[in-house]
Amino acid sequence: HKQRGPAAEEAMNVFQHQTYEGAVDVETLDDPLERKATIMKMRDFGLTPRQLFKRPHPPAHILKEKELITACTHPVVLVPVSVKDGV
Protein backbone atom coordinates (compact mmCIF):
# COMPACT_ATOMS: atom_id res chain seq x y z
CA HIS A 1 0.00 0.00 0.00
CA LYS A 2 2.68 2.56 0.97
CA GLN A 3 5.44 1.00 -1.08
CA ARG A 4 5.77 3.54 -3.88
CA GLY A 5 5.32 7.24 -4.56
CA PRO A 6 4.48 10.03 -2.13
CA ALA A 7 2.77 7.66 0.35
CA ALA A 8 6.00 5.64 0.64
CA GLU A 9 8.08 8.79 1.05
CA GLU A 10 5.76 10.09 3.77
CA ALA A 11 5.93 6.73 5.58
CA MET A 12 9.74 6.69 5.15
CA ASN A 13 9.35 3.37 3.34
CA VAL A 14 11.82 3.99 0.50
CA PHE A 15 14.94 2.19 -0.63
CA GLN A 16 17.87 2.65 -3.02
CA HIS A 17 16.22 3.36 -6.37
CA GLN A 18 18.35 0.78 -8.19
CA THR A 19 16.98 -2.00 -5.98
CA TYR A 20 13.36 -1.68 -7.16
CA GLU A 21 12.15 -4.39 -9.52
CA GLY A 22 12.64 -3.29 -13.13
CA ALA A 23 14.36 -0.02 -12.21
CA VAL A 24 17.61 -0.86 -13.98
CA ASP A 25 18.81 -3.50 -16.43
CA VAL A 26 22.47 -4.10 -15.65
CA GLU A 27 22.91 -5.83 -19.00
CA THR A 28 22.34 -2.48 -20.74
CA LEU A 29 24.89 -0.51 -18.68
CA ASP A 30 27.90 0.20 -20.90
CA ASP A 31 30.12 1.78 -18.25
CA PRO A 32 31.86 -1.07 -16.36
CA LEU A 33 32.23 1.04 -13.20
CA GLU A 34 28.53 2.00 -13.18
CA ARG A 35 27.57 -1.62 -13.86
CA LYS A 36 29.74 -2.91 -11.01
CA ALA A 37 28.48 -0.20 -8.62
CA THR A 38 24.86 -1.02 -9.46
CA ILE A 39 25.42 -4.74 -8.90
CA MET A 40 27.15 -4.02 -5.59
CA LYS A 41 24.22 -1.87 -4.44
CA MET A 42 21.85 -4.70 -5.31
CA ARG A 43 24.03 -7.13 -3.34
CA ASP A 44 24.43 -4.78 -0.36
CA PHE A 45 20.82 -3.58 -0.11
CA GLY A 46 19.05 -6.56 -1.66
CA LEU A 47 16.22 -6.28 -4.13
CA THR A 48 13.05 -4.51 -3.11
CA PRO A 49 10.12 -6.87 -3.75
CA ARG A 50 7.30 -5.85 -6.04
CA GLN A 51 4.34 -4.15 -4.43
CA LEU A 52 2.32 -6.78 -2.63
CA PHE A 53 -0.60 -4.75 -1.34
CA LYS A 54 -2.70 -2.16 -3.16
CA ARG A 55 -4.79 -1.18 -0.09
CA PRO A 56 -4.05 -0.73 3.60
CA HIS A 57 -3.64 -3.82 5.77
CA PRO A 58 -6.53 -4.61 8.08
CA PRO A 59 -5.79 -3.48 11.63
CA ALA A 60 -3.99 -6.00 13.81
CA HIS A 61 -6.06 -7.75 16.44
CA ILE A 62 -4.66 -6.70 19.78
CA LEU A 63 -5.40 -9.19 22.54
CA LYS A 64 -7.18 -7.72 25.50
CA GLU A 65 -5.79 -8.54 28.92
CA LYS A 66 -8.44 -11.22 29.55
CA GLU A 67 -7.78 -12.87 26.16
CA LEU A 68 -4.04 -12.79 26.80
CA ILE A 69 -4.41 -14.42 30.22
CA THR A 70 -6.70 -17.11 28.75
CA ALA A 71 -4.28 -17.75 25.87
CA CYS A 72 -1.38 -18.16 28.29
CA THR A 73 -3.19 -20.29 30.89
CA HIS A 74 -5.17 -22.44 28.45
CA PRO A 75 -2.94 -23.01 25.43
CA VAL A 76 -4.33 -24.92 22.49
CA VAL A 77 -2.63 -28.26 22.04
CA LEU A 78 -2.72 -29.76 18.57
CA VAL A 79 -2.46 -33.52 18.48
CA PRO A 80 -1.55 -35.16 15.18
CA VAL A 81 -3.96 -37.78 13.92
CA SER A 82 -2.47 -40.85 12.31
CA VAL A 83 -3.83 -42.71 9.28
CA LYS A 84 -4.69 -45.76 11.41
CA ASP A 85 -7.03 -43.57 13.51
CA GLY A 86 -9.29 -43.37 10.49
CA VAL A 87 -8.16 -40.12 8.92
Side-chain angles (χ1 to χ4, degrees), residues 3-4 14-16 19-21 45-51:
Q3 292 175 271
R4 294 186 184 260
V14 293
F15 304 92
Q16 280 284 40
T19 67
Y20 283 94
E21 181 182 43
F45 295 105
L47 293 175
T48 305
R50 71 180 77 187
Q51 185 168 354

Side-chain angles (χ1 to χ4, degrees), residues 7-15:
E9 291 175 22
E10 189 174 311
M12 296 176 58
N13 188 29
V14 293
F15 304 92

Side-chain angles (χ1 to χ4, degrees), residues 56-71:
H57 296 280
H61 175 74
I62 306 298
L63 293 177
K64 296 177 183 156
E65 187 176 350
K66 184 178 179 182
E67 293 173 312
L68 187 58
I69 291 169
T70 302

Side-chain angles (χ1 to χ4, degrees), residues 1-4 7 50-57:
H1 162 66
K2 295 181 181 178
Q3 292 175 271
R4 294 186 184 260
R50 71 180 77 187
Q51 185 168 354
L52 301 175
F53 302 100
K54 301 288 184 190
R55 352 171 237 197
H57 296 280

Side-chain angles (χ1 to χ4, degrees), residues 32-50:
L33 186 59
E34 182 182 4
R35 181 183 176 133
K36 185 173 182 174
T38 302
I39 291 170
M40 293 306 294
K41 283 181 186 177
M42 290 176 178
R43 287 183 183 162
D44 287 347
F45 295 105
L47 293 175
T48 305
R50 71 180 77 187

